[in-house]
Amino acid sequence: MRRRIRITGLHCASCVRRVEEALLAVPGVSSARADLVSREVTVDCDPAAAEPGALERAIEGAGFGVLRADGGGEEAAERERLRETAGLRARVLVSAAFAVPLLWVSMAPMAGISLPPWIARHGALIQFIFCVPIVGAGLPLFRRGLLAILRTGRATMDTLVALGAGAAFLFSVAESLRHPASGPAHGGGHLYYETAGMLIAFILLGRWLEAAARGKTSSALRLLVGRESRTAVVRTAGGETAVPVEEVVPGDVVVVRPGEKVPVDGRVKDGESCIDESMVTGEPMPVPKRPGDEVTGGTINGPGSFTFEATRTGSDTFLAHVVALVREAQASRAPVQELADSVAAYFVPAVLLVALVSFAVWIGAGRGLGFALTVAVSVLVVACPCALGLATPTAVVVGVGMAAARGILVKSAAALQTAARVDTVVFDKTGTLTLGAPVVTDVTPLGGRGAQEVLRLAAVAEKRSEHPLGGAIVAEARGRGIEPPDPDSFVSRGGRGVEASYGGTALLVGSAALARERGVDLSAAEEALAAREAEGKTAVLLAADNVAAGVIAVADTVKEGAAETVAALRAAGKDVAMITGDNARTARAVARAVGIDRVLAGLLPAEKAEEIRRLGAAGRTVAMVGDGINDAPALVAADVGIAIGAGTDVAVESADIVLVRSDPRDAAAVIGLAKKTYRKMLENLLWATGYNTVAIPLAAGALFGAGIILTPAIGAVLMSASTVIVAVNARLLRL
């Protein structure tokens, strides 16, 4: 069983590791994955082995709070984030209000500014009075940091802050008690109230900015959740009743009025309207809906009213499935994050060790207790495991969210990272590069008849046919305003064609072979037949009273944007190929139309998968784009499987990425987005690693001989800025 639990108090990579270890210690838990951005932990456990409430108790025992367990909880999480942001803002205002006068009292003598005599005489007491409210504003930092050590023996980012600020404050209190009557020199030289105060103020400011930035990274998921309806109007024998959407079950008849959201998935029973389905298709034009048409929950009704029968409700709806996929992907970890997580596990203990060593070294060098304490505090506060912990999750959240907004569902961060390295893209043909259904492409009249007449007679003959080619001819006729009448007689010839009669005329529509069997002279039709077949189309002959009357070409036409997709991928340096079970002639015709040179045709599903594996064995990173059941093995065999959303359930489930709109252009878009997202991951990791590599030695006094030293206050500013930079850099991602 999988459970998702919203938690509070998660602030750094060490926190993530701590909560995961606490949950893994619970009997029955097989995996636990905490997400620093969403503040959610996903737990796989055996409900028979895990005691009720054991997970929540483990989380609380590790020093974190449980906000909400199971279910989406997006609204509750957003309320909690807003409450947290508001609380941080209040603490920032309090700390700033007292930090400014504290800084003036403590630093003015050092800047040569004279203080009023009564302030100079009682400088230590005044600084203490100003510092206490700041320490009060930062109490959550102290509480979390110290409880982490006491409860689990593990230090976190808050532990570093608590130790740094606490040491500066307590040392200053001790000095104040030893020398209650302090002069300007004393207040400036041996008291560190301003260090503790400014440190807490800047940390709180950074946390506030981080919370605001973190909220923006999750905006795509909140927009998706916002599409969900809260209520539905259900028609019963007693009339119409508004009920919570959770109570709607398959089979219920739901009423939708103008401008309302469609609450769940279903099929129209009565009425007509136009629905904005841009959430699903990305297309802005409203889609007409009539009885028998499918409707999707979360889409918006237009001017008409209609009723529909609910077919999928609750977590089975399309929108619920999309939200679940996006949430899972955003919470997953990219492989590149594993290295950062490994470093973060040892980061805080290493920083504590560096601070202690620095303190001892400077004491041994004779620089005095005050200087050594300043250096140690600077090391503690300048280090930033948060930046390491947030480096890739923020980029993943933004990237997956942007993809979802375009109708591209990325199932995991690993898929996104792998897609960034793709150098070969292999397309299926039918339903992927083509529409997947035959349509009439050409009508060539013969024997003096017009094109409309040829199409009308062919549609009459095919009206009772169940063959896809016959259906395409009838659909084309109706599309041109021709409603074919019923034939007087009709006989199907086993997939080779049909024979019919109408108004005294004998009609034959089918293959050239069938026409020859019936004695039709094909000399006038041979050129048209050969030309259409050379184009990879199926040429259908119409004969009237045993005379060739026309040639109708039917083909599975290329999708709009297919050629554009191939061109974009090739421009990006990708090799593009097509693999299909169709015949070589048709495959080559489609390949020419879209600009693909390499074609593998006539392959069975297992052979498709083997070709994909062969490319992988040659050192290629392969993305397979397909839609059918026969594509599923190849989708699994590829490094990245990309499924067309209108394809079969098997293909969609087998793929790593789903193109909901079934637009081939989204295949190129998601590969481009993956590359940009991966670049942001690397940029963030490089920044976080480089920052700590430079800042910690500087804070420890590595360049003190050159006159360069980081004070605790500057260290706090840099630490807060490093975390915010990571979040803001991820937000700069563009599709």
Side-chain angles (χ1 to χ4, degrees):
M1 181 183 70
R2 171 163 293 182
R3 295 187 61 190
R4 294 192 312 273
I5 304 175
R6 296 278 184 180
I7 59 178
T8 59
L10 205 64
H11 290 289
C12 68
S14 297
C15 299
V16 168
R17 194 173 186 86
R18 196 165 89 246
V19 74
E20 288 177 346
E21 289 179 349
L23 287 167
L24 288 172
V26 176
V29 174
S30 57
S31 70
R33 186 177 66 247
D35 179 37
L36 188 57
V37 178
S38 67
R39 307 293 178 87
E40 182 177 83
V41 61
T42 304
V43 185
D44 290 320
C45 63
D46 179 1
E51 296 179 7
L55 301 181
E56 289 78 2
R57 288 195 298 272
I59 292 171
E60 291 168 349
F64 304 94
V66 176
L67 174 63
R68 178 175 174 135
D70 299 326
E74 297 297 335
E75 291 184 352
E78 178 61 7
R79 285 195 299 271
E80 171 63 17
R81 189 190 68 80
L82 292 174
R83 188 195 64 76
E84 178 189 9
T85 304
L88 283 169
R89 179 176 179 273
R91 294 178 185 277
V92 167
L93 293 176
V94 169
S95 61
F98 288 95
V100 172
L102 171 61
L103 188 64
W104 176 68
V105 171
S106 62
M107 302 302 292
M110 297 180 65
I113 301 174
S114 298
L115 295 173
W118 66 274
I119 292 181
R121 283 195 305 273
H122 304 287
L125 177 61
I126 292 172
Q127 289 183 54
F128 172 78
I129 292 172
F130 282 141
C131 192
V132 167
I134 303 175
V135 172
L139 274 180
L141 302 175
F142 290 94
R143 184 175 64 253
R144 288 192 299 263
L146 297 178
L147 284 178
I149 287 286
L150 296 175
R151 288 181 174 179
T152 67
R154 286 188 173 275
T156 66
M157 183 64 212
D158 287 333
T159 306
L160 298 182
V161 174
L163 290 176
F169 179 73
L170 293 176
F171 178 82
S172 299
V173 170
E175 283 291 284
S176 298
L177 293 174
R178 288 176 57 204
H179 306 282
S182 62
H186 184 188
H190 301 292
L191 297 182
Y192 297 95
Y193 287 118
E194 86 287 348
T195 296
M198 296 304 294
L199 170 57
I200 293 170
F202 282 127
I203 293 295
L204 291 173
L205 176 62
R207 292 284 170 87
W208 178 41
L209 296 175
E210 177 192 337
R214 191 180 67 248
K216 292 179 181 178
T217 62
S218 303
S219 58
L221 185 57
R222 290 200 303 276
L223 287 174
L224 283 173
V225 173
R227 287 276 193 170
E228 295 177 327
S229 297
R230 299 290 174 266
T231 60
V233 177
V234 176
R235 179 171 292 174
T236 62
E240 296 178 358
T241 306
V243 300
V245 72
E246 294 83 3
E247 296 181 10
V248 179
V249 297
D252 282 350
V253 176
V254 182
V255 180
V256 182
R257 296 184 175 85
E260 294 181 345
K261 288 181 182 178
V262 178
V264 295
D265 299 354
R267 185 176 294 107
V268 177
K269 286 177 63 68
D270 299 301
E272 296 184 2
S273 187
C274 290
I275 293 181
D276 177 1
E277 292 189 335
S278 57
M279 175 196 76
V280 178
T281 64
E283 299 299 327
M285 294 299 294
V287 180
K289 296 292 180 180
R290 298 178 178 85
D293 290 342
E294 300 284 339
V295 292
T296 303
T299 55
I300 301 175
N301 185 30
S305 297
F306 63 93
T307 63
F308 71 93
E309 180 183 348
T311 56
R312 291 186 298 272
T313 62
S315 60
D316 293 329
T317 65
F318 170 81
L319 183 57
H321 186 57
V322 170
V323 170
L325 281 176
V326 173
R327 182 184 290 114
E328 287 290 326
Q330 289 186 337
S332 64
R333 290 179 187 164
V336 71
Q337 179 65 18
E338 297 300 323
L339 176 61
D341 288 346
S342 299
V343 172
Y346 302 100
F347 185 87
V348 173
V351 170
L352 289 171
L353 180 61
V354 171
L356 288 173
V357 170
S358 301
F359 180 82
V361 167
W362 288 112
I363 286 288
R367 293 298 304 180
L369 178 62
F371 182 83
L373 179 65
T374 300
V375 169
V377 172
S378 296
V379 170
L380 291 173
V381 300
V382 80
C384 190
C386 298
L388 277 173
L390 289 169
T392 65
T394 50
V396 168
V397 166
V398 174
V400 170
M402 290 179 62
R406 182 174 171 137
I408 302 171
L409 301 183
V410 181
K411 295 185 179 180
S412 70
L416 201 63
Q417 179 175 331
T418 305
R421 297 185 289 106
V422 163
D423 52 33
T424 303
V425 183
V426 180
F427 286 93
D428 168 54
K429 178 182 75 69
T430 307
T432 301
L433 292 174
T434 66
L435 292 174
V439 296
V440 173
T441 59
D442 307 270
V443 178
T444 305
L446 301 171
R449 296 179 187 270
Q452 290 289 93
E453 177 65 9
V454 168
L455 193 59
R456 187 182 72 86
L457 291 175
V460 170
E462 293 282 8
K463 187 172 182 180
R464 294 181 182 174
S465 173
E466 296 181 355
H467 196 281
L469 297 184
I473 291 172
V474 174
E476 179 67 16
R478 286 172 172 161
R480 296 192 187 189
I482 301 170
E483 182 56 46
D486 291 330
D488 298 329
S489 65
F490 171 83
V491 179
S492 174
R493 295 304 178 187
R496 297 188 299 158
V498 300
E499 291 180 277
S501 64
Y502 174 70
T505 301
L507 301 173
L508 180 150
V509 180
S511 66
L514 177 64
R516 288 191 185 97
E517 285 183 13
R518 296 295 184 267
V520 177
D521 181 5
L522 298 182
S523 57
E526 286 178 351
E527 182 179 348
L529 288 169
R532 299 294 84 80
E533 289 174 352
E535 294 171 352
K537 301 173 182 178
T538 300
V540 178
L541 180 79
L542 167 68
D545 291 331
N546 259 28
V547 176
V551 174
I552 300 173
V554 181
D556 181 9
T557 57
V558 172
K559 282 184 178 181
E560 180 184 355
E564 180 185 338
T565 299
V566 173
L569 289 169
R570 296 182 69 169
K574 315 296 182 186
D575 289 337
V576 184
M578 186 172 75
I579 191 168
T580 179
D582 208 344
N583 66 79
R585 185 184 63 189
T586 302
R588 284 194 295 270
V590 172
R592 283 195 302 272
V594 299
I596 294 177
D597 299 325
R598 184 178 182 185
V599 180
L600 297 171
L603 299 183
L604 297 174
E607 293 171 326
K608 287 184 178 183
E610 184 57 35
E611 289 296 334
I612 296 297
R613 282 191 286 269
R614 187 174 291 118
L615 286 170
R620 295 284 185 171
T621 303
V622 184
M624 170 69 193
V625 188
D627 75 313
I629 292 176
N630 61 336
D631 297 321
L635 290 170
V636 174
D639 296 288
V640 180
I642 303 177
I644 296 295
T648 63
D649 291 342
V650 174
V652 170
E653 290 300 321
S654 301
D656 303 297
I657 298 171
V658 180
L659 310 181
V660 175
R661 303 190 306 169
S662 301
D663 187 338
R665 285 170 291 201
D666 287 341
V670 74
I671 290 173
L673 175 64
K675 188 173 182 178
K676 293 176 182 177
T677 304
Y678 186 59
R679 187 183 301 124
K680 287 296 180 186
M681 292 183 199
L682 295 181
E683 287 173 0
N684 282 350
L685 280 173
L686 182 62
W687 162 256
T689 304
Y691 162 80
N692 284 294
T693 301
V694 172
I696 292 174
L698 283 178
L703 295 181
F704 177 71
I708 300 175
I709 188 74
L710 291 182
T711 65
I714 294 175
V717 172
L718 293 176
M719 188 279 292
S720 299
S722 67
T723 303
V724 175
I725 286 172
V726 164
V728 171
N729 186 48
R731 283 289 300 166
L732 296 177
L733 185 64
R734 292 291 181 269
L735 187 63

